[in-house]
Amino acid sequence: MDTISKEEGSRVMSRIRSKDTKPELVARSWLHRRGFRLHSKSIPGHPDVALKKHGAIVEARCCFWHCHEGCAEARVPKSNVRFWKEKLKRNVARDAKNEDLWRDAGWNGIRAIGSSEG
């Protein structure tokens, strides 16, 4: 049973960003302060950060959206369970596909994991 209306749920979901999230901005800022320059627009899957000089990709991933095993934040919401299970399953599949693409192209991956997109 939903605790909010469909309209309110839609409004809330529309405010969730897919890029420039707080964990991503923190990771990019930390790297930039240390002299790294960031490039990623042309790489398949559009990683959060790509360090061309070092052949490394950094992904800022929160536990909810990327379903990290053993984390309390990696859970399916109690309402609209079917939708969320399918959505989160697609996220995990997309992550795996992108990691394969990057590995095949010679990139090394690093995951910066945070517990919340907050």
Side-chain angles (χ1 to χ4, degrees):
M1 180 175 159
D2 287 335
T3 57
I4 60 175
S5 69
K6 284 188 177 187
E7 293 78 18
E8 179 67 8
S10 179
R11 187 189 68 75
V12 169
M13 292 303 294
S14 73
R15 296 178 55 105
I16 297 174
R17 292 179 278 163
S18 62
K19 61 183 184 176
D20 294 336
T21 62
K22 284 185 184 178
E24 182 182 339
L25 293 174
V26 167
R28 283 198 327 232
S29 176
W30 186 89
L31 290 164
H32 194 265
R33 284 192 312 271
R34 283 153 183 80
F36 291 102
R37 297 299 170 251
L38 316 173
H39 311 277
S40 65
K41 301 221 185 296
S42 64
I43 299 170
H46 308 286
D48 297 328
V49 174
L51 306 170
K52 273 187 169 179
K53 179 179 176 183
H54 303 282
I57 286 175
V58 179
E59 282 282 289
R61 295 183 177 174
C62 86
C63 299
F64 173 76
W65 292 106
H66 299 275
C67 301
H68 300 125
E69 287 187 40
C71 179
E73 296 289 324
R75 57 173 170 51
V76 176
K78 293 179 182 176
S79 63
N80 208 358
V81 174
R82 175 191 257 168
F83 166 82
W84 283 109
K85 281 185 177 181
E86 291 173 10
K87 168 66 177 152
L88 297 173
K89 184 178 177 180
R90 286 191 312 269
N91 287 356
V92 171
R94 183 197 61 226
D95 290 344
K97 177 185 169 197
N98 286 338
E99 288 173 9
D100 288 344
L101 287 170
W102 299 330
R103 194 173 19 264
D104 292 347
W107 291 92
N108 297 306
I110 300 168
R111 287 186 209 118
I113 299 174
S115 64
S116 172
E117 290 286 330

